[in-house]
């Protein structure tokens, strides 16, 4: 690309960014620096694209929207006003042991209640579409971290739980957990009855973009409440894989899911929600879940 053409492209890019509030400086930097001709400038070799990128970045630095706003308080305090914390456990079960695993976990969740740990099972699922032979359990700790700490202490020291872990661990290929907080705009998860399927959509976001994500979805959530779709829970990690978000949706079946998602695109505003949030995503994953017989959410 010759110099005059490149200059027009970069100036146009900067103008588009200012008008539409998009962040293109890093994109220009990555794409142009490796392809632009090197020109002589005051006896030193300096990339034309470099000077243009510096100009664009100076505009962003002086603009109100900037790359990210400087925050005066933590994301968790801004995005979640509830005292409860949640734990999601991911257990990869050996295929031959899944039935026995579920039997033992059913007894385990009853034991958690009997021992007065303060942990409440919100939902328990097996993965139907996604990572096969995976079980996912969502726990709620009403009262926050003090209750979680108490439950952990009992779980680690009580002999009944020690025996359970000894038996359970032989049936697992791997396991991990996350501690999460609920978005303040998302409905609280509640027990559900009937025959349903659930989709857990998991997103790994760019660091620093959680507030922007929340602002978009606080508006976008209203486009996804038709055709018997249920927004079960919206959680973001506080410990574990950071900048991870889980949205869980309930449907009657896969056909209902298909129809509901297509209906959202007919509503003005949903396309903007997608357009603004997709650039924030580094990785995303979808799982279709089936409730276990003992899950409060059915």
């Amino acid at each position: 690309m010759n110099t005059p053409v490149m200059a027009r492209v970069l100036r146009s890019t900067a103008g588009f960014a200012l008008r539409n509030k998009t962040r293109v400086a890093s994109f220009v930097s990555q794409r142009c620096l490796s392809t632009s001709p090197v020109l002589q400038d005051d006896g030193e070799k300096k990339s034309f694209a470099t000077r243009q990128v510096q100009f664009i970045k100076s505009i962003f630095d002086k603009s109100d929207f900037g790359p990210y706003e400087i925050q005066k308080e933590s994301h968790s305090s801004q995005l979640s006003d509830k005292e409860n914390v949640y734990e999601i456990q991911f257990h990869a079960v050996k295929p031959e042991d899944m039935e026995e695993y579920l039997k033992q976990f059913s007894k385990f969740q009853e034991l958690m209640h009997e021992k007065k740990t303060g942990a409440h099972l919100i939902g328990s699922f097996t993965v139907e579409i996604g990572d096969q032979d995976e079980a996912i359990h969502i726990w709620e700790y009403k009262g926050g971290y003090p209750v979680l700490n108490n439950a952990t202490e009992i779980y680690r020291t009580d002999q009944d739980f020690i025996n359970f872990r000894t038996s359970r661990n032989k049936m697992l290929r791997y396991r991990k957990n996350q501690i999460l907080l609920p978005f303040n705009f998302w409905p609280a998860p509640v027990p559900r009855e009937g025959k349903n399927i659930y989709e857990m959509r998991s997103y790994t976001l760019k660091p620093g973009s959680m507030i922007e994500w929340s602002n978009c979805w606080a508006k976008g959530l209203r486009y996804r409440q038709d055709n018997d779709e249920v927004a079960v829970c919206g959680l973001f990690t506080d410990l574990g894989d950071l900048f991870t978000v889980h949205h869980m949706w309930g449907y009657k079946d896969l056909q209902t899911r298909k129809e509901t998602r297509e209906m959202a695109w007919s509503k003005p505003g949903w396309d903007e929600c997608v357009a603004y949030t997709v650039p924030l995503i580094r990785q995303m994953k979808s799982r279709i879940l089936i409730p276990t017989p003992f899950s409060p959410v059915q």
Side-chain angles (χ1 to χ4, degrees):
M1 184 182 293
N2 60 45
T3 299
V5 173
M6 181 176 290
R8 289 196 299 271
V9 170
L10 289 169
R11 283 196 295 270
S12 175
T13 301
F16 177 83
L18 288 175
R19 290 192 303 273
N20 295 274
K21 296 186 178 181
T22 59
R23 302 183 178 93
V24 299
S26 61
F27 170 80
V28 175
S29 178
Q30 294 172 6
R31 297 291 295 175
C32 295
L33 290 180
S34 61
T35 59
S36 62
V38 177
L39 306 179
Q40 296 292 334
D41 185 13
D42 298 329
E44 297 182 359
K45 290 185 177 181
K46 191 172 184 180
S47 166
F48 171 80
T50 299
R51 298 197 304 274
Q52 294 296 322
V53 169
Q54 290 173 348
F55 167 72
I56 293 173
K57 287 183 176 179
S58 70
I59 296 175
F60 279 106
D61 291 340
K62 296 176 183 178
S63 65
D64 292 335
F65 49 91
Y68 295 105
E69 294 182 2
I70 297 176
Q71 302 298 323
K72 300 298 184 181
E73 55 183 323
S74 67
H75 286 177
S76 59
S77 62
Q78 296 182 66
L79 302 178
S80 181
D81 57 6
K82 302 177 177 64
E83 294 183 357
N84 302 342
V85 299
Y86 293 81
E87 179 183 13
I88 299 182
Q89 298 173 329
F90 301 89
H91 291 171
V93 185
K94 296 177 182 178
E96 64 272 20
D97 291 328
M98 180 59 82
E99 290 188 11
E100 180 60 26
Y101 165 85
L102 292 177
K103 290 179 182 178
Q104 291 195 21
F105 200 93
S106 177
K107 298 177 181 178
F108 165 74
Q109 59 93 21
E110 293 176 354
L111 197 61
M112 290 287 282
H113 177 70
E114 294 173 3
K115 298 284 185 177
K116 302 185 185 304
T117 63
H120 299 274
L121 185 66
I122 297 298
S124 178
F125 311 90
T126 56
V127 176
E128 182 77 6
I129 300 176
D131 295 330
Q132 296 289 284
D133 305 305
E134 183 179 43
I136 296 177
H137 312 288
I138 304 176
W139 297 87
E140 180 183 43
Y141 299 89
K142 296 182 179 180
Y145 281 108
V147 178
L148 172 61
N149 292 339
N150 178 68
T152 301
E153 179 67 19
I154 297 174
Y155 175 73
R156 287 298 175 193
T157 58
D158 187 277
Q159 189 60 48
D160 289 334
F161 289 133
I162 294 174
N163 295 339
F164 164 77
R165 291 199 303 275
T166 301
S167 177
R168 179 208 59 191
N169 291 348
K170 297 176 182 178
M171 297 183 282
L172 300 182
R173 292 180 286 119
Y174 73 85
R175 61 192 178 94
K176 73 172 186 177
N177 68 341
Q178 299 170 346
I179 303 301
L180 310 100
L181 301 175
F183 285 112
N184 52 22
F185 61 86
W186 207 285
V190 296
R192 300 183 67 228
E193 299 179 353
K195 189 175 182 180
N196 304 282
I197 65 168
Y198 295 87
E199 181 178 17
M200 174 182 278
R201 297 181 69 86
S202 303
Y203 306 89
T204 302
L205 306 183
K206 295 195 308 181
S209 63
M210 189 67 73
I211 291 179
E212 190 172 355
W213 176 275
S214 176
N215 290 339
C216 289
W217 268 101
K219 301 175 183 177
L221 192 62
R222 64 176 179 265
Y223 303 115
R224 297 288 303 276
Q225 298 297 303
D226 290 340
N227 204 31
D228 294 328
E229 182 184 36
V230 176
V232 179
C233 64
L235 307 170
F236 63 96
T237 51
D238 196 42
L239 294 170
D241 300 324
L242 296 180
F243 293 100
T244 298
V245 173
H246 300 290
H247 293 178
M248 183 170 287
W249 307 90
Y251 304 97
K252 180 180 178 182
D253 49 37
L254 288 175
Q255 180 61 27
T256 304
R257 172 190 177 274
K258 175 180 181 295
E259 295 171 354
T260 303
R261 291 178 59 82
E262 290 176 350
M263 287 172 60
W265 286 99
S266 65
K267 300 178 180 179
W270 173 246
D271 54 346
E272 294 183 0
C273 177
V274 175
Y276 283 118
T277 54
V278 165
L280 308 179
I281 301 172
R282 286 189 167 178
Q283 186 178 358
M284 59 189 300
K285 185 174 187 176
S286 172
R287 300 174 176 90
I288 298 298
L289 310 178
I290 303 298
T292 62
F294 52 86
S295 173
V297 171
Q298 288 293 317

